[in-house]
Amino acid sequence: MKALQILIILAVGYLLGSVLPALIIGKMVNGIDIRKYGSGNPGTTNVLRTLGIGPAILVFAIDVLKGVVATLFAKIVMPDDVVLGVTLAGFAVIWGHTFPLYFGFRGGKAAATSIGVALVATPTITLVVIALALIVLLLKRYMSLTVIVGAILYFFAVLTFAREYWFLALIILVVIIVRHRENIKRLLNGTERKVGERVKLQ
């Protein structure tokens, strides 16, 4: 029975994660593949730079919602082991967003989806980390730096206050660091774009 629960959670999480609103909205609004513009990442920041704030807010909300729904579903399916269920769901939905089944396995960096997962797993910690990360954004205006700092803060906060979710926090941290490795290079050499810079579509 537990094996079946695990398979269901992994399958649902992965399929949910594979829905990339940035690609869908990019096609609907401008008829473009967002992966061919700006940073090439099908996520909120690139949508903001290419399509504007309205589409970016919608993309962010849907990507967060994916993480929330996947992990809430896991709680329902595996009520006898919520930590395991949420961790599996978090891994699956993040993996789906990163390597989406429906879009040639070329996905995003999973920042917003990770926020959705974390909000269900550790809501108070997550809200505090978001508030602290936003300070970094206001001071430096680098979204990539904000996300990386947030993932690091979240990992150590979970180790301190919600140790049962340490592996989930580690998954989030590793994915964020690996998927932002090019951003890290640009941050180090001073070529990373700041929030507010626009990308021309023509």
Side-chain angles (χ1 to χ4, degrees):
M1 181 62 179
K2 196 161 189 175
L4 179 59
Q5 291 172 318
I6 290 171
L7 285 174
I8 291 171
I9 288 169
L10 289 174
V12 169
Y14 178 72
L15 294 175
L16 272 174
S18 292
V19 177
L20 297 187
L23 291 176
I24 297 169
I25 292 170
K27 287 286 187 182
M28 291 175 61
V29 173
N30 281 73
I32 65 170
D33 184 338
I34 200 75
R35 294 173 297 186
K36 296 179 181 178
Y37 296 88
S39 67
N41 181 56
T44 302
T45 304
N46 201 33
V47 171
L48 177 64
R49 292 189 182 119
T50 54
L51 302 179
I53 190 167
I57 290 172
L58 185 57
V59 167
F60 178 77
I62 295 173
D63 278 338
V64 171
L65 186 62
K66 291 189 310 189
V68 170
V69 171
T71 44
L72 286 177
F73 177 76
K75 283 188 170 185
I76 295 170
V77 172
M78 194 176 284
D80 56 321
D81 196 343
V82 168
V83 172
L84 176 60
V86 167
T87 300
L88 290 171
F91 167 78
V93 72
I94 290 169
W95 191 258
H97 181 88
T98 308
F99 301 102
L101 176 66
Y102 319 123
F103 298 103
F105 304 101
R106 290 176 53 219
K109 299 177 182 178
T113 300
S114 295
I115 289 173
V117 171
L119 280 170
V120 174
T122 55
T124 302
I125 290 173
T126 303
L127 291 173
V128 172
V129 168
I130 289 172
L132 293 173
L134 285 175
I135 295 173
V136 176
L137 181 60
L138 290 171
L139 293 175
K140 298 296 184 180
R141 292 181 52 217
Y142 290 116
M143 184 58 75
S144 56
L145 179 63
T146 301
V147 171
I148 293 165
V149 169
I152 294 169
L153 289 175
Y154 181 70
F155 176 71
F156 285 106
V158 167
L159 281 184
T160 304
F161 300 108
R163 189 177 292 271
E164 67 274 18
Y165 283 111
W166 73 270
F167 191 62
L168 175 62
L170 180 61
I171 290 170
I172 291 172
L173 178 60
V174 170
V175 170
I176 292 297
I177 295 296
V178 171
R179 297 296 286 179
H180 284 81
R181 59 191 183 278
E182 294 302 320
N183 301 86
I184 293 170
K185 291 178 184 177
R186 290 194 294 270
L187 285 167
L188 291 174
N189 63 31
T191 59
E192 180 76 334
R193 288 193 181 101
K194 293 187 176 183
V195 171
E197 296 181 23
R198 293 300 299 267
V199 172
K200 292 183 180 180
L201 298 181
Q202 299 295 335

